[in-house]
Amino acid sequence: MMHQRTYLRARRRIVYVVVGFLSLLIGCLVIFPIFYAFCTSFMSASELTSWPPKLLPERFTYLDNYRAVLTKTKMPRFMFNSLVLAGGGTLLRLVTASLAAFSFSFYEYRGRNALFFLILGSMMIPGDAVVISNYVNVSRMGLMDTYLGLIVVYGVSATNVFMMRQYMRTLPTALRDASLIDGCSDMRFFLHVVLPCATPVLFSVGISSFVNLWNAYIWPLLITNREEMRVVQVGVTMLSTEDDPAYGRVMAAVSLILVPSILVFVLFQRRIVSGITTGSVKG
């Protein structure tokens, strides 16, 4: 019996070591392109074309690539446009997802479950499959080259509705009954009781939505024609041409673009995890 316990403990330790090593290896493979892009942004043109290729720059004080991106291109305007898209789209998604989830969780009406499953079914439709119809509708409304045209197609997310609904289902219905007895309206109950309780999932939905919209490419590329309305993901592709690849400036722009996403995940990692796991045990 003692030998069996010792064997099991040794086996668990080996499994932990192997899993830890594989996790570290995968993490290094994922981080390496980002690390290389960051290092490349500090290289001069001669360093970029040297052979053999260099992994690290001669010095990290070479900032000409960053100066060129911030002063000689429209990257600051592109970043502002992406901020408007990500912020406005996230706010709109939070409003629509929370209201829809509140309806699915606290109201009883005919066809409620069918409507909810219809929304879940839309998750199986790729976004690229409806991009043409969205483009036609938005162009007919005269929203080309406008912030509203950028944001409107991102106003509803089935995934966000599902996450919000799963969390609100964990709240006891007795809360609503008690609030109605005290004379509290449904909207007041939603604003003052449900939303404060749903703070974890609101953070999770908001952060994931912000990062997703910050990295949007296809739709902003189609809906904008003027250079002043481009977003960062599109703007990066405009920094390089066949005659001037400008690898240093491109990598500097990429490094700047990654900063908001990295900061969001680093600062709000715990809230993201708690928001995803909260409410996952009740359907």
Side-chain angles (χ1 to χ4, degrees):
M1 193 70 176
M2 184 66 66
H3 293 290
Q4 185 177 4
R5 291 180 179 178
T6 304
Y7 170 76
L8 291 176
R9 290 175 183 174
R11 184 177 179 181
R12 289 174 184 173
R13 291 176 182 175
I14 294 174
V15 171
Y16 291 154
V17 170
V18 172
V19 171
F21 175 77
L22 291 177
S23 300
L24 179 62
L25 179 61
I26 295 173
C28 291
L29 291 176
V30 172
I31 295 176
F32 179 77
I34 301 175
F35 175 75
Y36 183 70
F38 177 74
C39 292
T40 305
S41 66
F42 292 97
M43 293 184 184
S44 61
S46 59
E47 291 181 87
L48 289 171
T49 56
S50 63
W51 185 262
K54 297 181 178 180
L55 177 61
L56 299 175
E58 294 181 356
R59 63 186 189 278
F60 283 92
T61 56
Y62 183 81
L63 302 177
D64 288 1
N65 293 325
Y66 287 94
R67 293 193 188 98
V69 168
L70 295 176
T71 60
K72 297 181 181 180
T73 68
K74 295 183 179 179
M75 187 56 62
R77 177 58 188 265
F78 298 155
M79 296 184 72
F80 174 77
N81 294 338
S82 288
L83 183 62
V84 173
L85 169 60
T90 297
L91 181 61
L92 188 58
R93 282 185 173 186
L94 288 176
V95 172
T96 56
S98 59
L99 289 174
F102 179 72
S103 172
F104 289 134
S105 302
F106 291 96
Y107 286 105
E108 294 286 346
Y109 51 88
R110 182 177 300 177
R112 183 188 65 171
N113 293 332
L115 181 60
F116 176 70
F117 284 113
L118 181 64
I119 293 176
L120 291 184
S122 66
M123 296 170 61
M124 296 185 294
I125 303 176
D128 296 341
V130 296
V131 69
I132 295 178
S133 60
N134 287 338
Y135 176 83
V136 172
N137 293 330
V138 171
S139 61
R140 286 178 178 176
M141 291 188 291
L143 298 179
M144 297 285 293
D145 288 319
T146 63
Y147 289 124
L148 183 59
L150 283 171
I151 296 172
V152 66
V153 299
Y154 297 114
V156 179
S157 171
T159 304
N160 294 348
V161 173
F162 173 75
M163 292 179 63
M164 294 289 295
R165 184 256 188 186
Q166 290 300 99
Y167 178 83
M168 291 186 183
R169 291 274 291 180
T170 64
L171 300 178
T173 56
L175 284 176
R176 181 167 179 264
D177 298 336
S179 64
L180 293 177
I181 293 174
D182 292 337
C184 181
S185 63
D186 284 338
M187 183 55 65
R188 190 174 181 182
F189 169 70
F190 171 72
L191 294 174
H192 295 281
V193 178
V194 176
L195 288 186
C197 293
T199 301
V201 73
L202 284 173
F203 266 98
S204 178
V205 168
I207 293 169
S208 61
S209 177
F210 181 89
V211 174
N212 178 263
L213 296 182
W214 178 266
N215 295 320
Y217 176 78
I218 295 296
W219 178 250
L221 175 65
L222 292 176
I223 205 64
T224 55
N225 295 320
R226 292 190 293 117
E227 187 175 348
E228 293 77 10
M229 293 301 299
R230 300 293 193 184
V231 297
V232 288
Q233 304 300 332
V234 180
V236 169
T237 63
M238 300 169 60
L239 298 178
S240 178
T241 61
E242 293 183 0
D243 298 329
D244 183 16
Y247 298 119
R249 292 200 299 270
V250 171
M251 293 305 175
V254 170
S255 299
L256 291 174
I257 292 171
L258 287 174
V259 170
S261 300
I262 294 175
L263 285 178
V264 165
F265 277 110
V266 170
L267 296 177
F268 301 102
Q269 181 180 6
R270 292 184 178 179
R271 290 187 178 271
I272 294 174
V273 174
S274 63
I276 293 174
T277 57
T278 302
S280 61
V281 297
K282 184 174 182 179

